[in-house]
Amino acid sequence: MNAKLIITAALLATGGVAAAQGSGLAAALTAGQVGEQADGFLGVRGTVSAGVRAELESINIKRRAAYTDLAGQRSVTVKDVAAAVGCTTLKTRVAAGQAYQLRDGVWRVRQGSAPIPLPDYCS
């Protein structure tokens, strides 16, 4: 199994999903109310409207579908694909001031351009 290929394919499969987000979700990401999680899904950090929650859930459903398809093609688990994408997302897509959550369940906010401390399984 080529981990880089899995990550690349999963990011391509989910890349359009992020671009399709509505302005409510984009604002919540910028405000740190919503953030990326190490498990490859978006999570709620603060209080959000029902509309933002619906957008987030819609994106997570699309991500899960993409991860499931890729996992079936590569004979790996959905959790493995999602975690691989989560590593890459934390490394490359979380901007300064945006929230993220590691596996310990603690929400943090990225400060400047300092790298995010990635979980041990991210290599």
Side-chain angles (χ1 to χ4, degrees):
M1 170 186 69
N2 183 337
K4 237 180 190 177
L5 181 61
I6 290 174
I7 293 167
T8 301
L11 285 172
L12 289 173
T14 61
V17 175
Q21 71 192 14
S23 62
L25 183 56
L29 279 165
T30 300
Q33 297 169 310
V34 169
E36 292 287 350
Q37 301 176 137
D39 65 0
F41 295 95
L42 289 169
V44 175
R45 176 177 177 240
T47 303
V48 297
S49 69
V52 168
R53 187 172 294 278
E55 286 181 69
L56 179 142
E57 290 172 2
S58 175
I59 288 174
N60 280 345
I61 288 168
K62 291 173 185 170
R63 285 184 179 188
R64 180 169 301 283
Y67 300 162
T68 300
D69 288 346
L70 189 58
Q73 293 170 19
R74 301 288 178 220
S75 299
V76 297
T77 68
V78 173
K79 184 176 179 181
D80 288 341
V81 172
V85 173
C87 290
T88 301
T89 299
L90 290 174
K91 191 183 307 182
T92 63
R93 290 188 177 182
V94 177
Q98 289 185 337
Y100 64 94
Q101 185 183 61
L102 300 178
R103 291 189 71 165
D104 62 7
V106 176
W107 282 101
R108 296 164 175 86
V109 175
R110 183 166 188 183
Q111 303 298 317
S113 61
I116 293 172
L118 299 174
D120 291 342
Y121 61 83
C122 297
S123 51

